[in-house]
Amino acid sequence: MTFEDTANSSVRSAMDQGRQAADKASQAVKDGYETAQQYVKDKGIDLDLREFVRREPWLAIAAAFAVGYVAAQIVRRVS
């Protein structure tokens, strides 16, 4: 096996692992969103997230930033 073949194999393997991690993260976000929606419905709170984002886009962006920042800090401290 040549160096080029080894490098290509390593790159493919890394890309596959990255793709799998992205798929898992996407599924986790989707599951979390669905769980949150079900919780809100069970509690009787009528909250349509899509409508809220349409009405208050800057607040939604700020909230997304805050959630992302907190998640990044948690991941940074855990790893």
Side-chain angles (χ1 to χ4, degrees):
M1 196 180 251
T2 68
F3 176 74
E4 185 177 317
D5 292 337
T6 304
N8 285 338
S9 176
S10 295
V11 168
R12 276 192 223 104
S13 176
M15 287 177 63
D16 287 342
Q17 289 176 354
R19 200 172 291 124
Q20 289 172 355
D23 289 343
K24 286 181 184 178
S26 173
Q27 187 61 42
V29 168
K30 183 178 178 183
D31 292 345
Y33 176 74
E34 290 171 356
T35 301
Q37 262 189 331
Q38 188 61 44
Y39 175 80
V40 168
K41 285 180 183 178
D42 290 346
K43 292 295 179 182
I45 302 169
D46 187 23
L47 174 66
D48 184 5
L49 190 57
R50 289 182 184 119
E51 184 60 34
F52 173 75
V53 171
R54 283 187 194 109
R55 282 191 328 256
E56 303 289 342
W58 291 109
L59 185 58
I61 290 170
F65 176 80
V67 169
Y69 179 79
V70 169
Q73 293 301 312
I74 290 170
V75 168
R76 191 177 100 200
R77 291 173 197 237
V78 169
S79 59

